[in-house]
Amino acid sequence: MPDAPTRRPHYPGRDQLDAANTRFRRAVARLYREAGRHDPKLMPEVERIVREAAETLGRLAADAEAAESTSARHQAALKAQEDKIRAQLRPAARRGDPRAAGILARLDQRPSGRRTSAPDDDDAA
């Protein structure tokens, strides 16, 4: 099929992740069926395994999201959104709106998270 669109390659390790996920889900489904049909004493083990997997995946997802938020594109989009919010809130704050002033103050206080070229080392001198 010459007209078929070419697909972008998967991220590194995607095939291994998919295989492990499929294997895990099938194993848990088999264990759950076994516990439900023949051995109810296995149910706490099913719950423990699933809870541990969910916690681990949640932690890894948070790591991936944190890494994503450090990308230059993401930082530029975040700065653009902050600038837009500030531009919308400034006139209201000048008119004396306490909510707008409070939001602006919180925006000014929050750490930007943007990387700077200057080191944070206080001992350098």
Side-chain angles (χ1 to χ4, degrees), residues 52-89:
E52 183 179 335
E55 290 170 359
T56 300
L57 285 173
R59 200 169 44 253
L60 292 171
D63 291 348
E65 290 164 350
E68 178 187 23
S69 71
T70 62
S71 77
R73 184 188 66 83
H74 183 84
Q75 291 296 322
L78 180 61
K79 182 178 181 335
Q81 285 297 318
E82 286 179 358
D83 292 346
K84 182 177 177 182
I85 290 170
R86 288 175 196 278
Q88 290 173 341
L89 290 173

PDB file of all heavy atoms in Angstrom, residues 52-89:
ATOM      1  N   GLU A  52      -0.168  -2.454  44.687  1.00  0.00           N
ATOM      2  CA  GLU A  52       1.253  -2.156  44.516  1.00  0.00           C
ATOM      3  C   GLU A  52       1.554  -1.716  43.080  1.00  0.00           C
ATOM      4  O   GLU A  52       2.322  -0.767  42.862  1.00  0.00           O
ATOM      5  CB  GLU A  52       2.091  -3.385  44.867  1.00  0.00           C
ATOM      6  CG  GLU A  52       3.574  -3.153  44.790  1.00  0.00           C
ATOM      7  CD  GLU A  52       4.371  -4.385  45.173  1.00  0.00           C
ATOM      8  OE1 GLU A  52       3.859  -5.239  45.917  1.00  0.00           O
ATOM      9  OE2 GLU A  52       5.522  -4.483  44.715  1.00  0.00           O
ATOM     10  N   ALA A  53       0.948  -2.381  42.114  1.00  0.00           N
ATOM     11  CA  ALA A  53       1.161  -2.003  40.713  1.00  0.00           C
ATOM     12  C   ALA A  53       0.623  -0.597  40.446  1.00  0.00           C
ATOM     13  O   ALA A  53       1.271   0.205  39.761  1.00  0.00           O
ATOM     14  CB  ALA A  53       0.496  -3.009  39.787  1.00  0.00           C
ATOM     15  N   ALA A  54      -0.555  -0.295  40.988  1.00  0.00           N
ATOM     16  CA  ALA A  54      -1.144   1.031  40.780  1.00  0.00           C
ATOM     17  C   ALA A  54      -0.279   2.119  41.408  1.00  0.00           C
ATOM     18  O   ALA A  54      -0.077   3.183  40.808  1.00  0.00           O
ATOM     19  CB  ALA A  54      -2.556   1.074  41.354  1.00  0.00           C
ATOM     20  N   GLU A  55       0.257   1.855  42.609  1.00  0.00           N
ATOM     21  CA  GLU A  55       1.127   2.835  43.258  1.00  0.00           C
ATOM     22  C   GLU A  55       2.407   3.059  42.456  1.00  0.00           C
ATOM     23  O   GLU A  55       2.849   4.188  42.276  1.00  0.00           O
ATOM     24  CB  GLU A  55       1.465   2.375  44.678  1.00  0.00           C
ATOM     25  CG  GLU A  55       0.297   2.440  45.631  1.00  0.00           C
ATOM     26  CD  GLU A  55       0.582   1.751  46.963  1.00  0.00           C
ATOM     27  OE1 GLU A  55       1.694   1.190  47.142  1.00  0.00           O
ATOM     28  OE2 GLU A  55      -0.316   1.760  47.813  1.00  0.00           O
ATOM     29  N   THR A  56       2.977   1.959  41.974  1.00  0.00           N
ATOM     30  CA  THR A  56       4.217   2.064  41.194  1.00  0.00           C
ATOM     31  C   THR A  56       3.974   2.823  39.899  1.00  0.00           C
ATOM     32  O   THR A  56       4.747   3.719  39.535  1.00  0.00           O
ATOM     33  CB  THR A  56       4.784   0.664  40.899  1.00  0.00           C
ATOM     34  OG1 THR A  56       5.045   0.012  42.139  1.00  0.00           O
ATOM     35  CG2 THR A  56       6.060   0.753  40.091  1.00  0.00           C
ATOM     36  N   LEU A  57       2.900   2.490  39.207  1.00  0.00           N
ATOM     37  CA  LEU A  57       2.589   3.195  37.954  1.00  0.00           C
ATOM     38  C   LEU A  57       2.277   4.665  38.207  1.00  0.00           C
ATOM     39  O   LEU A  57       2.665   5.529  37.416  1.00  0.00           O
ATOM     40  CB  LEU A  57       1.430   2.516  37.226  1.00  0.00           C
ATOM     41  CG  LEU A  57       1.787   1.216  36.527  1.00  0.00           C
ATOM     42  CD1 LEU A  57       0.530   0.540  35.982  1.00  0.00           C
ATOM     43  CD2 LEU A  57       2.775   1.467  35.410  1.00  0.00           C
ATOM     44  N   GLY A  58       1.590   4.954  39.287  1.00  0.00           N
ATOM     45  CA  GLY A  58       1.315   6.348  39.630  1.00  0.00           C
ATOM     46  C   GLY A  58       2.582   7.124  39.879  1.00  0.00           C
ATOM     47  O   GLY A  58       2.739   8.266  39.430  1.00  0.00           O
ATOM     48  N   ARG A  59       3.520   6.512  40.591  1.00  0.00           N
ATOM     49  CA  ARG A  59       4.806   7.155  40.863  1.00  0.00           C
ATOM     50  C   ARG A  59       5.588   7.380  39.573  1.00  0.00           C
ATOM     51  O   ARG A  59       6.161   8.448  39.351  1.00  0.00           O
ATOM     52  CB  ARG A  59       5.591   6.274  41.844  1.00  0.00           C
ATOM     53  CG  ARG A  59       6.679   6.954  42.589  1.00  0.00           C
ATOM     54  CD  ARG A  59       7.255   6.116  43.731  1.00  0.00           C
ATOM     55  NE  ARG A  59       7.515   4.725  43.415  1.00  0.00           N
ATOM     56  CZ  ARG A  59       6.785   3.691  43.862  1.00  0.00           C
ATOM     57  NH1 ARG A  59       5.735   3.904  44.626  1.00  0.00           N
ATOM     58  NH2 ARG A  59       7.098   2.455  43.538  1.00  0.00           N
ATOM     59  N   LEU A  60       5.612   6.372  38.699  1.00  0.00           N
ATOM     60  CA  LEU A  60       6.326   6.517  37.433  1.00  0.00           C
ATOM     61  C   LEU A  60       5.660   7.552  36.528  1.00  0.00           C
ATOM     62  O   LEU A  60       6.344   8.303  35.823  1.00  0.00           O
ATOM     63  CB  LEU A  60       6.421   5.164  36.724  1.00  0.00           C
ATOM     64  CG  LEU A  60       7.323   4.136  37.418  1.00  0.00           C
ATOM     65  CD1 LEU A  60       7.180   2.775  36.754  1.00  0.00           C
ATOM     66  CD2 LEU A  60       8.758   4.602  37.428  1.00  0.00           C
ATOM     67  N   ALA A  61       4.332   7.603  36.542  1.00  0.00           N
ATOM     68  CA  ALA A  61       3.630   8.618  35.751  1.00  0.00           C
ATOM     69  C   ALA A  61       3.972  10.018  36.254  1.00  0.00           C
ATOM     70  O   ALA A  61       4.176  10.941  35.452  1.00  0.00           O
ATOM     71  CB  ALA A  61       2.119   8.383  35.804  1.00  0.00           C
ATOM     72  N   ALA A  62       4.050  10.181  37.562  1.00  0.00           N
ATOM     73  CA  ALA A  62       4.427  11.487  38.127  1.00  0.00           C
ATOM     74  C   ALA A  62       5.845  11.862  37.700  1.00  0.00           C
ATOM     75  O   ALA A  62       6.109  13.031  37.378  1.00  0.00           O
ATOM     76  CB  ALA A  62       4.313  11.457  39.652  1.00  0.00           C
ATOM     77  N   ASP A  63       6.744  10.879  37.681  1.00  0.00           N
ATOM     78  CA  ASP A  63       8.117  11.146  37.222  1.00  0.00           C
ATOM     79  C   ASP A  63       8.125  11.593  35.763  1.00  0.00           C
ATOM     80  O   ASP A  63       8.829  12.537  35.392  1.00  0.00           O
ATOM     81  CB  ASP A  63       8.995   9.902  37.367  1.00  0.00           C
ATOM     82  CG  ASP A  63       9.283   9.545  38.811  1.00  0.00           C
ATOM     83  OD1 ASP A  63       9.002  10.372  39.710  1.00  0.00           O
ATOM     84  OD2 ASP A  63       9.795   8.432  39.039  1.00  0.00           O
ATOM     85  N   ALA A  64       7.338  10.909  34.928  1.00  0.00           N
ATOM     86  CA  ALA A  64       7.283  11.263  33.505  1.00  0.00           C
ATOM     87  C   ALA A  64       6.676  12.652  33.317  1.00  0.00           C
ATOM     88  O   ALA A  64       7.160  13.444  32.501  1.00  0.00           O
ATOM     89  CB  ALA A  64       6.483  10.226  32.722  1.00  0.00           C
ATOM     90  N   GLU A  65       5.633  12.958  34.080  1.00  0.00           N
ATOM     91  CA  GLU A  65       5.010  14.282  33.973  1.00  0.00           C
ATOM     92  C   GLU A  65       5.955  15.374  34.443  1.00  0.00           C
ATOM     93  O   GLU A  65       6.012  16.457  33.852  1.00  0.00           O
ATOM     94  CB  GLU A  65       3.708  14.310  34.775  1.00  0.00           C
ATOM     95  CG  GLU A  65       2.624  13.459  34.143  1.00  0.00           C
ATOM     96  CD  GLU A  65       1.472  13.162  35.084  1.00  0.00           C
ATOM     97  OE1 GLU A  65       1.577  13.459  36.296  1.00  0.00           O
ATOM     98  OE2 GLU A  65       0.475  12.602  34.601  1.00  0.00           O
ATOM     99  N   ALA A  66       6.711  15.103  35.496  1.00  0.00           N
ATOM    100  CA  ALA A  66       7.682  16.089  35.984  1.00  0.00           C
ATOM    101  C   ALA A  66       8.776  16.320  34.946  1.00  0.00           C
ATOM    102  O   ALA A  66       9.200  17.458  34.723  1.00  0.00           O
ATOM    103  CB  ALA A  66       8.291  15.631  37.304  1.00  0.00           C
ATOM    104  N   ALA A  67       9.226  15.257  34.316  1.00  0.00           N
ATOM    105  CA  ALA A  67      10.245  15.406  33.277  1.00  0.00           C
ATOM    106  C   ALA A  67       9.696  16.176  32.092  1.00  0.00           C
ATOM    107  O   ALA A  67      10.389  17.006  31.499  1.00  0.00           O
ATOM    108  CB  ALA A  67      10.743  14.026  32.831  1.00  0.00           C
ATOM    109  N   GLU A  68       8.439  15.908  31.743  1.00  0.00           N
ATOM    110  CA  GLU A  68       7.823  16.614  30.618  1.00  0.00           C
ATOM    111  C   GLU A  68       7.720  18.106  30.900  1.00  0.00           C
ATOM    112  O   GLU A  68       7.912  18.928  30.006  1.00  0.00           O
ATOM    113  CB  GLU A  68       6.428  16.037  30.360  1.00  0.00           C
ATOM    114  CG  GLU A  68       5.674  16.728  29.256  1.00  0.00           C
ATOM    115  CD  GLU A  68       4.243  16.248  29.134  1.00  0.00           C
ATOM    116  OE1 GLU A  68       3.697  15.728  30.112  1.00  0.00           O
ATOM    117  OE2 GLU A  68       3.680  16.400  28.051  1.00  0.00           O
ATOM    118  N   SER A  69       7.451  18.454  32.146  1.00  0.00           N
ATOM    119  CA  SER A  69       7.264  19.865  32.474  1.00  0.00           C
ATOM    120  C   SER A  69       8.553  20.662  32.401  1.00  0.00           C
ATOM    121  O   SER A  69       8.522  21.883  32.456  1.00  0.00           O
ATOM    122  CB  SER A  69       6.637  20.017  33.855  1.00  0.00           C
ATOM    123  OG  SER A  69       7.559  19.665  34.851  1.00  0.00           O
ATOM    124  N   THR A  70       9.693  19.993  32.268  1.00  0.00           N
ATOM    125  CA  THR A  70      10.952  20.708  32.157  1.00  0.00           C
ATOM    126  C   THR A  70      11.320  21.023  30.706  1.00  0.00           C
ATOM    127  O   THR A  70      12.328  21.677  30.468  1.00  0.00           O
ATOM    128  CB  THR A  70      12.110  19.917  32.796  1.00  0.00           C
ATOM    129  OG1 THR A  70      12.271  18.695  32.096  1.00  0.00           O
ATOM    130  CG2 THR A  70      11.850  19.648  34.266  1.00  0.00           C
ATOM    131  N   SER A  71      10.507  20.573  29.757  1.00  0.00           N
ATOM    132  CA  SER A  71      10.839  20.825  28.358  1.00  0.00           C
ATOM    133  C   SER A  71      10.712  22.313  28.036  1.00  0.00           C
ATOM    134  O   SER A  71       9.898  23.033  28.618  1.00  0.00           O
ATOM    135  CB  SER A  71       9.932  20.018  27.428  1.00  0.00           C
ATOM    136  OG  SER A  71       8.654  20.608  27.345  1.00  0.00           O
ATOM    137  N   ALA A  72      11.517  22.771  27.128  1.00  0.00           N
ATOM    138  CA  ALA A  72      11.517  24.186  26.754  1.00  0.00           C
ATOM    139  C   ALA A  72      10.161  24.605  26.187  1.00  0.00           C
ATOM    140  O   ALA A  72       9.667  25.694  26.479  1.00  0.00           O
ATOM    141  CB  ALA A  72      12.626  24.456  25.739  1.00  0.00           C
ATOM    142  N   ARG A  73       9.552  23.744  25.388  1.00  0.00           N
ATOM    143  CA  ARG A  73       8.246  24.070  24.805  1.00  0.00           C
ATOM    144  C   ARG A  73       7.201  24.228  25.903  1.00  0.00           C
ATOM    145  O   ARG A  73       6.402  25.172  25.898  1.00  0.00           O
ATOM    146  CB  ARG A  73       7.824  22.974  23.820  1.00  0.00           C
ATOM    147  CG  ARG A  73       6.510  23.284  23.095  1.00  0.00           C
ATOM    148  CD  ARG A  73       6.026  22.096  22.280  1.00  0.00           C
ATOM    149  NE  ARG A  73       5.663  20.963  23.117  1.00  0.00           N
ATOM    150  CZ  ARG A  73       4.487  20.828  23.722  1.00  0.00           C
ATOM    151  NH1 ARG A  73       3.569  21.747  23.619  1.00  0.00           N
ATOM    152  NH2 ARG A  73       4.241  19.765  24.457  1.00  0.00           N
ATOM    153  N   HIS A  74       7.221  23.311  26.872  1.00  0.00           N
ATOM    154  CA  HIS A  74       6.256  23.380  27.962  1.00  0.00           C
ATOM    155  C   HIS A  74       6.473  24.647  28.791  1.00  0.00           C
ATOM    156  O   HIS A  74       5.507  25.319  29.170  1.00  0.00           O
ATOM    157  CB  HIS A  74       6.371  22.134  28.845  1.00  0.00           C
ATOM    158  CG  HIS A  74       5.381  22.089  29.951  1.00  0.00           C
ATOM    159  ND1 HIS A  74       4.108  21.627  29.766  1.00  0.00           N
ATOM    160  CD2 HIS A  74       5.466  22.481  31.239  1.00  0.00           C
ATOM    161  CE1 HIS A  74       3.447  21.719  30.906  1.00  0.00           C
ATOM    162  NE2 HIS A  74       4.255  22.234  31.813  1.00  0.00           N
ATOM    163  N   GLN A  75       7.724  24.965  29.084  1.00  0.00           N
ATOM    164  CA  GLN A  75       8.022  26.167  29.858  1.00  0.00           C
ATOM    165  C   GLN A  75       7.574  27.432  29.125  1.00  0.00           C
ATOM    166  O   GLN A  75       7.048  28.359  29.741  1.00  0.00           O
ATOM    167  CB  GLN A  75       9.522  26.234  30.182  1.00  0.00           C
ATOM    168  CG  GLN A  75       9.977  25.184  31.155  1.00  0.00           C
ATOM    169  CD  GLN A  75       9.337  25.345  32.523  1.00  0.00           C
ATOM    170  OE1 GLN A  75       9.146  26.460  33.009  1.00  0.00           O
ATOM    171  NE2 GLN A  75       8.999  24.231  33.143  1.00  0.00           N
ATOM    172  N   ALA A  76       7.759  27.466  27.810  1.00  0.00           N
ATOM    173  CA  ALA A  76       7.329  28.636  27.027  1.00  0.00           C
ATOM    174  C   ALA A  76       5.808  28.761  27.043  1.00  0.00           C
ATOM    175  O   ALA A  76       5.265  29.869  27.182  1.00  0.00           O
ATOM    176  CB  ALA A  76       7.846  28.524  25.599  1.00  0.00           C
ATOM    177  N   ALA A  77       5.110  27.633  26.929  1.00  0.00           N
ATOM    178  CA  ALA A  77       3.644  27.667  26.951  1.00  0.00           C
ATOM    179  C   ALA A  77       3.144  28.110  28.320  1.00  0.00           C
ATOM    180  O   ALA A  77       2.185  28.878  28.427  1.00  0.00           O
ATOM    181  CB  ALA A  77       3.080  26.296  26.585  1.00  0.00           C
ATOM    182  N   LEU A  78       3.792  27.619  29.379  1.00  0.00           N
ATOM    183  CA  LEU A  78       3.413  28.011  30.728  1.00  0.00           C
ATOM    184  C   LEU A  78       3.625  29.505  30.946  1.00  0.00           C
ATOM    185  O   LEU A  78       2.764  30.195  31.496  1.00  0.00           O
ATOM    186  CB  LEU A  78       4.221  27.209  31.745  1.00  0.00           C
ATOM    187  CG  LEU A  78       3.940  27.493  33.216  1.00  0.00           C
ATOM    188  CD1 LEU A  78       2.496  27.177  33.561  1.00  0.00           C
ATOM    189  CD2 LEU A  78       4.884  26.679  34.085  1.00  0.00           C
ATOM    190  N   LYS A  79       4.759  30.025  30.489  1.00  0.00           N
ATOM    191  CA  LYS A  79       5.027  31.454  30.632  1.00  0.00           C
ATOM    192  C   LYS A  79       4.001  32.275  29.852  1.00  0.00           C
ATOM    193  O   LYS A  79       3.510  33.299  30.339  1.00  0.00           O
ATOM    194  CB  LYS A  79       6.432  31.791  30.161  1.00  0.00           C
ATOM    195  CG  LYS A  79       6.749  33.277  30.338  1.00  0.00           C
ATOM    196  CD  LYS A  79       8.145  33.611  29.933  1.00  0.00           C
ATOM    197  CE  LYS A  79       8.494  35.065  30.114  1.00  0.00           C
ATOM    198  NZ  LYS A  79       7.446  36.038  30.112  1.00  0.00           N
ATOM    199  N   ALA A  80       3.638  31.825  28.662  1.00  0.00           N
ATOM    200  CA  ALA A  80       2.632  32.537  27.865  1.00  0.00           C
ATOM    201  C   ALA A  80       1.291  32.569  28.592  1.00  0.00           C
ATOM    202  O   ALA A  80       0.609  33.601  28.612  1.00  0.00           O
ATOM    203  CB  ALA A  80       2.493  31.891  26.490  1.00  0.00           C
ATOM    204  N   GLN A  81       0.908  31.452  29.213  1.00  0.00           N
ATOM    205  CA  GLN A  81      -0.349  31.415  29.958  1.00  0.00           C
ATOM    206  C   GLN A  81      -0.295  32.325  31.179  1.00  0.00           C
ATOM    207  O   GLN A  81      -1.264  33.037  31.479  1.00  0.00           O
ATOM    208  CB  GLN A  81      -0.675  29.977  30.390  1.00  0.00           C
ATOM    209  CG  GLN A  81      -1.163  29.112  29.266  1.00  0.00           C
ATOM    210  CD  GLN A  81      -2.475  29.611  28.692  1.00  0.00           C
ATOM    211  OE1 GLN A  81      -3.380  30.011  29.415  1.00  0.00           O
ATOM    212  NE2 GLN A  81      -2.564  29.623  27.384  1.00  0.00           N
ATOM    213  N   GLU A  82       0.832  32.289  31.885  1.00  0.00           N
ATOM    214  CA  GLU A  82       0.979  33.179  33.044  1.00  0.00           C
ATOM    215  C   GLU A  82       0.906  34.644  32.623  1.00  0.00           C
ATOM    216  O   GLU A  82       0.263  35.459  33.295  1.00  0.00           O
ATOM    217  CB  GLU A  82       2.291  32.901  33.764  1.00  0.00           C
ATOM    218  CG  GLU A  82       2.299  31.626  34.562  1.00  0.00           C
ATOM    219  CD  GLU A  82       3.636  31.386  35.248  1.00  0.00           C
ATOM    220  OE1 GLU A  82       4.575  32.188  35.072  1.00  0.00           O
ATOM    221  OE2 GLU A  82       3.733  30.377  35.954  1.00  0.00           O
ATOM    222  N   ASP A  83       1.565  34.996  31.529  1.00  0.00           N
ATOM    223  CA  ASP A  83       1.528  36.372  31.043  1.00  0.00           C
ATOM    224  C   ASP A  83       0.109  36.784  30.671  1.00  0.00           C
ATOM    225  O   ASP A  83      -0.321  37.906  30.943  1.00  0.00           O
ATOM    226  CB  ASP A  83       2.460  36.539  29.842  1.00  0.00           C
ATOM    227  CG  ASP A  83       3.936  36.409  30.215  1.00  0.00           C
ATOM    228  OD1 ASP A  83       4.246  36.449  31.429  1.00  0.00           O
ATOM    229  OD2 ASP A  83       4.758  36.235  29.303  1.00  0.00           O
ATOM    230  N   LYS A  84      -0.627  35.873  30.056  1.00  0.00           N
ATOM    231  CA  LYS A  84      -2.014  36.154  29.671  1.00  0.00           C
ATOM    232  C   LYS A  84      -2.884  36.380  30.908  1.00  0.00           C
ATOM    233  O   LYS A  84      -3.679  37.331  30.969  1.00  0.00           O
ATOM    234  CB  LYS A  84      -2.556  34.983  28.848  1.00  0.00           C
ATOM    235  CG  LYS A  84      -3.957  35.170  28.342  1.00  0.00           C
ATOM    236  CD  LYS A  84      -4.364  33.981  27.492  1.00  0.00           C
ATOM    237  CE  LYS A  84      -5.794  34.109  27.024  1.00  0.00           C
ATOM    238  NZ  LYS A  84      -6.205  32.932  26.236  1.00  0.00           N
ATOM    239  N   ILE A  85      -2.701  35.534  31.925  1.00  0.00           N
ATOM    240  CA  ILE A  85      -3.477  35.690  33.159  1.00  0.00           C
ATOM    241  C   ILE A  85      -3.131  37.002  33.842  1.00  0.00           C
ATOM    242  O   ILE A  85      -4.013  37.730  34.304  1.00  0.00           O
ATOM    243  CB  ILE A  85      -3.227  34.489  34.095  1.00  0.00           C
ATOM    244  CG1 ILE A  85      -3.872  33.233  33.511  1.00  0.00           C
ATOM    245  CG2 ILE A  85      -3.759  34.756  35.493  1.00  0.00           C
ATOM    246  CD1 ILE A  85      -3.491  31.960  34.233  1.00  0.00           C
ATOM    247  N   ARG A  86      -1.840  37.305  33.902  1.00  0.00           N
ATOM    248  CA  ARG A  86      -1.426  38.568  34.529  1.00  0.00           C
ATOM    249  C   ARG A  86      -2.038  39.768  33.802  1.00  0.00           C
ATOM    250  O   ARG A  86      -2.508  40.715  34.433  1.00  0.00           O
ATOM    251  CB  ARG A  86       0.092  38.697  34.527  1.00  0.00           C
ATOM    252  CG  ARG A  86       0.788  37.792  35.491  1.00  0.00           C
ATOM    253  CD  ARG A  86       2.301  37.912  35.321  1.00  0.00           C
ATOM    254  NE  ARG A  86       2.997  36.833  35.948  1.00  0.00           N
ATOM    255  CZ  ARG A  86       3.294  36.771  37.246  1.00  0.00           C
ATOM    256  NH1 ARG A  86       2.960  37.762  38.017  1.00  0.00           N
ATOM    257  NH2 ARG A  86       3.920  35.735  37.745  1.00  0.00           N
ATOM    258  N   ALA A  87      -2.027  39.729  32.473  1.00  0.00           N
ATOM    259  CA  ALA A  87      -2.587  40.839  31.690  1.00  0.00           C
ATOM    260  C   ALA A  87      -4.082  40.995  31.950  1.00  0.00           C
ATOM    261  O   ALA A  87      -4.599  42.110  31.963  1.00  0.00           O
ATOM    262  CB  ALA A  87      -2.322  40.609  30.204  1.00  0.00           C
ATOM    263  N   GLN A  88      -4.769  39.876  32.176  1.00  0.00           N
ATOM    264  CA  GLN A  88      -6.211  39.950  32.447  1.00  0.00           C
ATOM    265  C   GLN A  88      -6.495  40.420  33.873  1.00  0.00           C
ATOM    266  O   GLN A  88      -7.511  41.071  34.124  1.00  0.00           O
ATOM    267  CB  GLN A  88      -6.860  38.584  32.213  1.00  0.00           C
ATOM    268  CG  GLN A  88      -6.893  38.191  30.755  1.00  0.00           C
ATOM    269  CD  GLN A  88      -7.382  36.761  30.562  1.00  0.00           C
ATOM    270  OE1 GLN A  88      -7.365  35.952  31.471  1.00  0.00           O
ATOM    271  NE2 GLN A  88      -7.806  36.463  29.343  1.00  0.00           N
ATOM    272  N   LEU A  89      -5.607  40.103  34.811  1.00  0.00           N
ATOM    273  CA  LEU A  89      -5.850  40.431  36.209  1.00  0.00           C
ATOM    274  C   LEU A  89      -5.394  41.835  36.605  1.00  0.00           C
ATOM    275  O   LEU A  89      -5.959  42.437  37.519  1.00  0.00           O
ATOM    276  CB  LEU A  89      -5.156  39.411  37.117  1.00  0.00           C
ATOM    277  CG  LEU A  89      -5.748  38.011  37.119  1.00  0.00           C
ATOM    278  CD1 LEU A  89      -4.871  37.071  37.922  1.00  0.00           C
ATOM    279  CD2 LEU A  89      -7.159  38.022  37.679  1.00  0.00           C
TER     280      LEU A  89
END
